[in-house]
Amino acid sequence: PSRTSANIVLSPRGDAWLGTDDLGRDVYTRIIHGSRISLRVGFLAVAIGVSSGFLIGLGSAYFGGKVDLIVQRLMDAILAFPGLVLVLAIVTVLEPSINNVIAALSFGLIPRSARTIRSQALSIKETDYVLAATASGARHWRIILRHMAPNCLATYIVFATFSLGFAIIAEASLSFLGLGVPPNVPSWGGMLNGAASIGIDVAPWLGVFPGLALAVVVFAWNLMGDALRDELDPRLRGAR
């Protein structure tokens, strides 16, 4: 609908399936466009953060000794801060933008990913094929990338799937607080922020539908993470 006074804060109807907001913008259209922002931020943050933690965890487990001690103490220092609080602080120091939100979320995902992958890599490090590769004089990074990384890939995929839900919720939380994407860019968190400013009693559909989209997407990714864990973990395979 066009932005006219007649189209402002309309309840769901035939020409506006999910209603309109205080500026006459169609809520359904904004949810569809907002999904691109939320999923883009989520996928990029997970790809950068979890992949970085994957390599850090592998290197920490393989080299051990002082390297492992220093890396893990650094990860502990980062984990001392709650994830969302850490992301909020980083975005506040920088400036609200999509790229800064992605960078902050990526940084927040690194320590948990590194700790998870490290625990898996420590057991793989003691296997016969890794010991044989070490005895044959193979280079460190060849052992890490060729022998250890493929055997940690299942853990990486499952952790990345679960982390995507966290990244989407974190982006929506930042946008709700006004620290995410710019206000003129449609996002689910920004729509919830707009619904709160208008009042849920005045236009409940402005908060219900973006919140429902957010809940459905996160729930679907968590179900996918459970399914992947059941399929990729030999201990759980066939447990159903």
Side-chain angles (χ1 to χ4, degrees):
S2 60
R3 297 184 182 181
T4 63
S5 58
N7 293 327
I8 293 178
V9 194
L10 291 178
S11 59
R13 58 188 65 199
D15 56 348
W17 293 353
L18 304 183
T20 62
D21 62 8
D22 58 328
L23 297 178
R25 299 172 296 189
D26 184 58
V27 174
Y28 173 76
T29 303
R30 300 200 78 218
I31 289 178
I32 299 300
H33 282 273
S35 65
R36 299 185 303 175
I37 301 297
S38 298
L39 294 178
R40 174 190 170 189
V41 171
F43 276 112
L44 288 178
V46 168
I48 297 172
V50 177
S51 298
S52 300
F54 179 73
L55 294 176
I56 292 173
L58 286 175
S60 177
Y62 177 78
F63 291 106
K66 293 183 178 180
V67 174
D68 185 44
L69 179 63
I70 294 173
V71 170
Q72 294 310 309
R73 294 298 75 77
L74 181 60
M75 296 298 103
D76 289 339
I78 299 175
L79 287 172
F81 299 92
L84 189 57
V85 174
L86 178 62
V87 173
L88 180 63
I90 295 174
V91 175
T92 303
V93 172
L94 302 175
E95 60 181 12
S97 67
I98 296 178
N99 292 333
N100 289 339
V101 170
I102 293 174
L105 289 173
S106 301
F107 183 79
L109 290 172
I110 288 176
R112 289 175 174 82
S113 174
R115 294 291 293 271
T116 303
I117 298 300
R118 173 183 175 270
S119 63
Q120 178 73 14
L122 284 174
S123 61
I124 295 175
K125 178 184 176 181
E126 303 301 327
T127 55
D128 293 339
Y129 56 86
V130 174
L131 295 176
T134 304
S136 65
R139 296 180 180 272
H140 295 313
W141 288 109
R142 177 179 176 83
I143 297 174
I144 293 174
L145 297 178
R146 186 175 181 83
H147 298 286
M148 296 180 64
N151 291 282
C152 294
L153 193 59
T155 303
Y156 167 84
I157 293 174
V158 173
F159 186 84
T161 305
F162 281 114
S163 298
L164 182 61
F166 166 78
I168 293 175
I169 292 177
E171 183 278 327
S173 301
L174 292 173
S175 297
F176 178 77
L177 296 173
L179 296 174
V181 299
N184 60 325
V185 178
S187 69
W188 293 340
M191 295 178 69
L192 292 174
N193 187 10
S197 63
I198 296 174
I200 196 68
D201 56 333
V202 176
W205 60 89
L206 297 181
V208 169
F209 293 120
L212 184 62
L214 181 64
V216 169
V217 169
V218 173
F219 181 67
W221 278 108
N222 286 337
L223 286 180
M224 183 176 178
D226 286 334
L228 287 174
R229 181 184 59 189
D230 294 342
E231 291 297 328
L232 297 176
D233 192 337
R235 296 170 298 179
L236 299 177
R237 191 174 301 160
R240 298 184 302 276

